[in-house]
Amino acid sequence: MRISQRSKTARGVRWNPNRFFWQKAASGIYRAQLANGLRELGFTVEAIDNKPAFEVKGICQQLCALFSKRADAIRAQMEAMGVTNANSKIGDTIAVNSRDYKEAIDRSALFAKWQKEMDERGFTADKVADIRDVETEPYPEALPLSAVLDSLIEDKAVFRLQDIYAEVAKEAQYTHSTVQDIEDTVRELLTDEAMVSLGNDINHNPIYTTKAMLAIEQALIATADAMHANTHYHLNTAVIDKAIEAQQDAQSFELSDEQHEAVHAVCQSSLGIIQGKAGAGKSTSLKALRLAYESQGMTVRGATVARKAAQQLQADTGIESGTLASLLNELGKGNTERFNDTVIVVDEAGLMATPDMLALMNAVHNASAKLVLVGEQEQLDAINHGGSLRYLSQRQGCARINTIRRQREVWAKTLVNDLRSGNAEAALCTLQGKGLLHINDTAQDTREALVNQWADYTKANPQKQSLVMAQRWNDVKPLNDLMRTVYQERGLLGNENLITGGVVSNQTLHFAFSTGERVRLTKNDYTRNFTNGQQGTVMAVAKLKDDVRLTIALDDGRTVNIEQSDYCDEQNRFHVVQAYAAIIYSAQGATIDGDTFTYYSTAMDRAASYVAGSRAKDKAWFFVNGQELDAQCGKPDSEKFSDKASRLDLLARNMKSNRHKVMASEYLDELANDDFERSSEKKFGASKEQELELSA
């Protein structure tokens, strides 16, 4: 069976999900077998950093590049589309479409051509002999079962059988293992006491977790149950109502019934949860909560994953706020008595990974403090091990605030609701009707159209806020460059243009720094009170003998000197980057008193679309890379779509795709309730099938 086989639909092409999942596993097994064969010939195999592949020791990069012409062509086409992820399914599509199956291959002539090219570059038979160790015989090594298990749950709680094969095969590249060894290892893993079966998903793929992952989840559930049962922080109705009245008097308008009920609900125990739609007035409810507990002599503190979100929380609610990282650092220093009679409010709690949620909840519980989790499960969840907010809300109950208040116009509120519910067709109709949807043919055209619109808007509305967003840092960087050019043309930046390498999300990106530059810090440094996401403005730029120094006026009021050598990673990449555009993940929780501008890519799903479309009080603009849409549905560059309807159809499919992560405990609960098959269709199975559907 060809793993890459596709099934036809009435509208175009759709990847079979099961075959797609097995493709990764099959690729890994092939690489493992190839690596083992090379070792049998006496060659040494080396790992490539952060990649599931290997290199042969002794072969120069120039020769590798010579025989990677097709890969380079595919990469160039992906980059032209704005796609940079080597594992992107779009790359697979381009690879398939770039093959010419009709052309007969004379393999003898091909090998002769290759040999001639290698001889010309000095890679002769003698050179091959030099890098071989013919005396070395391959020897079997045991595959590291514990390492495989740890890797399987590194970023998710639930995994498939195909994931096990892929991970074992990845390890097998470096352990002299055969295909039979891989099979035997998978069987051993499936019977290992550390493995837990969760049944099958809707596509009949066996799914699993580990006891280690379940232990984390069960510890979280136990602590949450204990806090929910603790009534130390219970406030009586009169105290809460008095606080609500004080808040209403201060803001000159009344809280809604939903907001009333939410405040009362979270003042009952040591654990409270508020879920609310984006812009539904959760912050207003938190103001009343703060007043209620402060009236009883208690302290209210706030925390968020991102520094900027903490600043927003403090500005909106009056609750002194910082990052979760700094709070956990403080709680970890002991002397937790100072947290007695303290209420800790965590905003955008859905962005917390399950292990982080456990660490926080344990720390708060041990300090005898109260925890209030605020967020919404339909927005973006944690990058790793998501789903804890949704699960705890279902188990413990939560207050819900559903009436949207942020947007000024009725149509804009309707748009947000449609994006949230996955009613993508209606959302796109609204965007089109308001002139907010623009589909361009290339990545560069899309970026330029977006930045031109943003530039026009900011020039005409200097008093208004704006925000430019993209899903991936590799899209944010070129947007930053274009926006920076606008600021330079407006005379807002100096002429220093000192270029150096920066790092964000372990990616190397080159930035030019001048005075007036808006920048973001990308690493926590508690000795200097630097936090990842903290922003500021460059006041001075200095090129030292072997270093770079920036003088930055941070938004918290401090002015600091930061040298690259003192604030970099092991590769000397600066932990300072430009801060004009932002990734959508970091924008969650923001309120923009103006317009937002989103570079829309196929990496976005329903949650990302919802977050991007709900930040603005006024208009949410979407700029779409049409070429990326074309590639996603299997069209080569020479056959671009001629009708907008086809692109809109695929865009709608992306906007309604649900990729939310789930906790393993959800599946155990469903298995216990004999409700697994029906629920898994809504969760793991159906969402992944939507993610992989590539229909025109």
Short mmCIF file of all heavy atoms in Angstrom, two decimals, residues 109-129:
data_model
loop_
_atom_site.label_atom_id
_atom_site.label_comp_id
_atom_site.label_asym_id
_atom_site.label_seq_id
_atom_site.Cartn_x
_atom_site.Cartn_y
_atom_site.Cartn_z
N ALA A 109 22.32 5.49 -16.36
CA ALA A 109 22.77 6.83 -16.74
C ALA A 109 22.73 7.78 -15.55
O ALA A 109 23.61 8.64 -15.39
CB ALA A 109 21.90 7.36 -17.87
N LEU A 110 21.72 7.62 -14.70
CA LEU A 110 21.59 8.47 -13.53
C LEU A 110 22.76 8.25 -12.57
O LEU A 110 23.36 9.21 -12.07
CB LEU A 110 20.26 8.20 -12.82
CG LEU A 110 19.89 9.12 -11.65
CD1 LEU A 110 19.77 10.56 -12.12
CD2 LEU A 110 18.58 8.66 -11.02
N PHE A 111 23.08 6.98 -12.31
CA PHE A 111 24.21 6.69 -11.42
C PHE A 111 25.52 7.20 -12.00
O PHE A 111 26.39 7.70 -11.28
CB PHE A 111 24.29 5.20 -11.15
CG PHE A 111 23.26 4.69 -10.20
CD1 PHE A 111 22.50 3.58 -10.49
CD2 PHE A 111 23.04 5.33 -8.99
CE1 PHE A 111 21.53 3.13 -9.62
CE2 PHE A 111 22.07 4.88 -8.11
CZ PHE A 111 21.31 3.77 -8.42
N ALA A 112 25.69 7.09 -13.32
CA ALA A 112 26.90 7.59 -13.96
C ALA A 112 27.01 9.10 -13.81
O ALA A 112 28.09 9.65 -13.57
CB ALA A 112 26.90 7.19 -15.44
N LYS A 113 25.89 9.76 -13.96
CA LYS A 113 25.86 11.22 -13.80
C LYS A 113 26.23 11.60 -12.37
O LYS A 113 27.02 12.52 -12.13
CB LYS A 113 24.48 11.74 -14.15
CG LYS A 113 24.28 13.24 -13.94
CD LYS A 113 22.88 13.65 -14.40
CE LYS A 113 22.61 15.14 -14.15
NZ LYS A 113 22.56 15.45 -12.71
N TRP A 114 25.66 10.90 -11.40
CA TRP A 114 25.97 11.18 -10.00
C TRP A 114 27.46 10.96 -9.70
O TRP A 114 28.09 11.76 -9.01
CB TRP A 114 25.13 10.29 -9.09
CG TRP A 114 23.68 10.66 -9.04
CD1 TRP A 114 23.12 11.82 -9.48
CD2 TRP A 114 22.63 9.87 -8.52
NE1 TRP A 114 21.77 11.81 -9.25
CE2 TRP A 114 21.44 10.61 -8.66
CE3 TRP A 114 22.54 8.59 -7.96
CZ2 TRP A 114 20.20 10.12 -8.26
CZ3 TRP A 114 21.31 8.10 -7.54
CH2 TRP A 114 20.16 8.88 -7.71
N GLN A 115 28.01 9.86 -10.22
CA GLN A 115 29.42 9.57 -9.97
C GLN A 115 30.31 10.65 -10.55
O GLN A 115 31.30 11.05 -9.94
CB GLN A 115 29.78 8.20 -10.57
CG GLN A 115 31.19 7.74 -10.18
CD GLN A 115 31.34 7.57 -8.69
OE1 GLN A 115 30.68 6.75 -8.06
NE2 GLN A 115 32.24 8.37 -8.08
N LYS A 116 29.96 11.12 -11.76
CA LYS A 116 30.74 12.18 -12.41
C LYS A 116 30.71 13.46 -11.56
O LYS A 116 31.73 14.11 -11.35
CB LYS A 116 30.18 12.46 -13.80
CG LYS A 116 30.95 13.51 -14.60
CD LYS A 116 30.38 13.60 -16.03
CE LYS A 116 31.15 14.62 -16.86
NZ LYS A 116 30.99 16.00 -16.35
N GLU A 117 29.53 13.82 -11.05
CA GLU A 117 29.39 15.02 -10.23
C GLU A 117 30.19 14.89 -8.93
O GLU A 117 30.82 15.85 -8.47
CB GLU A 117 27.92 15.29 -9.93
CG GLU A 117 27.12 15.74 -11.14
CD GLU A 117 25.64 15.88 -10.82
OE1 GLU A 117 25.16 15.24 -9.85
OE2 GLU A 117 24.94 16.64 -11.53
N MET A 118 30.20 13.70 -8.35
CA MET A 118 30.97 13.50 -7.12
C MET A 118 32.47 13.53 -7.39
O MET A 118 33.23 14.12 -6.61
CB MET A 118 30.57 12.17 -6.47
CG MET A 118 29.18 12.18 -5.86
SD MET A 118 28.82 10.73 -4.84
CE MET A 118 28.84 9.43 -6.07
N ASP A 119 32.90 12.90 -8.50
CA ASP A 119 34.32 12.91 -8.85
C ASP A 119 34.83 14.33 -9.05
O ASP A 119 35.94 14.68 -8.64
CB ASP A 119 34.55 12.09 -10.12
CG ASP A 119 34.40 10.58 -9.89
OD1 ASP A 119 34.42 10.16 -8.71
OD2 ASP A 119 34.23 9.85 -10.89
N GLU A 120 34.00 15.16 -9.70
CA GLU A 120 34.38 16.55 -9.96
C GLU A 120 34.59 17.33 -8.68
O GLU A 120 35.30 18.33 -8.65
CB GLU A 120 33.33 17.22 -10.84
CG GLU A 120 33.30 16.71 -12.27
CD GLU A 120 32.13 17.27 -13.06
OE1 GLU A 120 31.22 17.89 -12.43
OE2 GLU A 120 32.10 17.09 -14.29
N ARG A 121 33.93 16.90 -7.60
CA ARG A 121 34.02 17.60 -6.32
C ARG A 121 34.91 16.87 -5.33
O ARG A 121 34.90 17.15 -4.14
CB ARG A 121 32.62 17.82 -5.75
CG ARG A 121 31.85 18.89 -6.51
CD ARG A 121 30.34 18.77 -6.33
NE ARG A 121 29.67 19.87 -7.04
CZ ARG A 121 29.43 19.85 -8.33
NH1 ARG A 121 29.82 18.78 -9.07
NH2 ARG A 121 28.81 20.87 -8.91
N GLY A 122 35.71 15.92 -5.87
CA GLY A 122 36.71 15.25 -5.05
C GLY A 122 36.18 14.12 -4.19
O GLY A 122 36.92 13.56 -3.36
N PHE A 123 34.90 13.77 -4.35
CA PHE A 123 34.34 12.69 -3.55
C PHE A 123 34.48 11.39 -4.34
O PHE A 123 33.52 10.82 -4.86
CB PHE A 123 32.88 12.97 -3.20
CG PHE A 123 32.38 12.14 -2.04
CD1 PHE A 123 32.73 12.49 -0.74
CD2 PHE A 123 31.56 11.05 -2.22
CE1 PHE A 123 32.28 11.73 0.34
CE2 PHE A 123 31.11 10.30 -1.15
CZ PHE A 123 31.47 10.65 0.14
N THR A 124 35.71 10.90 -4.43
CA THR A 124 36.04 9.71 -5.21
C THR A 124 35.91 8.46 -4.36
O THR A 124 35.59 8.51 -3.16
CB THR A 124 37.47 9.82 -5.74
OG1 THR A 124 38.37 9.89 -4.60
CG2 THR A 124 37.64 11.07 -6.60
N ALA A 125 36.18 7.32 -5.00
CA ALA A 125 36.13 6.05 -4.28
C ALA A 125 37.12 6.04 -3.12
O ALA A 125 36.85 5.47 -2.06
CB ALA A 125 36.43 4.90 -5.24
N ASP A 126 38.28 6.68 -3.29
CA ASP A 126 39.25 6.76 -2.20
C ASP A 126 38.71 7.55 -1.01
O ASP A 126 38.95 7.19 0.15
CB ASP A 126 40.55 7.41 -2.71
CG ASP A 126 41.30 6.50 -3.68
OD1 ASP A 126 41.06 5.27 -3.67
OD2 ASP A 126 42.13 7.04 -4.45
N LYS A 127 37.98 8.64 -1.32
CA LYS A 127 37.38 9.44 -0.25
C LYS A 127 36.32 8.64 0.51
O LYS A 127 36.24 8.70 1.74
CB LYS A 127 36.75 10.72 -0.83
CG LYS A 127 36.04 11.60 0.18
CD LYS A 127 36.99 12.16 1.22
CE LYS A 127 36.28 13.11 2.15
NZ LYS A 127 37.17 13.61 3.24
N VAL A 128 35.54 7.87 -0.25
CA VAL A 128 34.54 7.02 0.39
C VAL A 128 35.22 6.02 1.32
O VAL A 128 34.77 5.79 2.45
CB VAL A 128 33.70 6.27 -0.68
CG1 VAL A 128 32.77 5.25 0.00
CG2 VAL A 128 32.90 7.24 -1.51
N ALA A 129 36.32 5.45 0.86
CA ALA A 129 37.04 4.49 1.68
C ALA A 129 37.58 5.14 2.96
O ALA A 129 37.64 4.51 4.01
CB ALA A 129 38.18 3.87 0.87
#
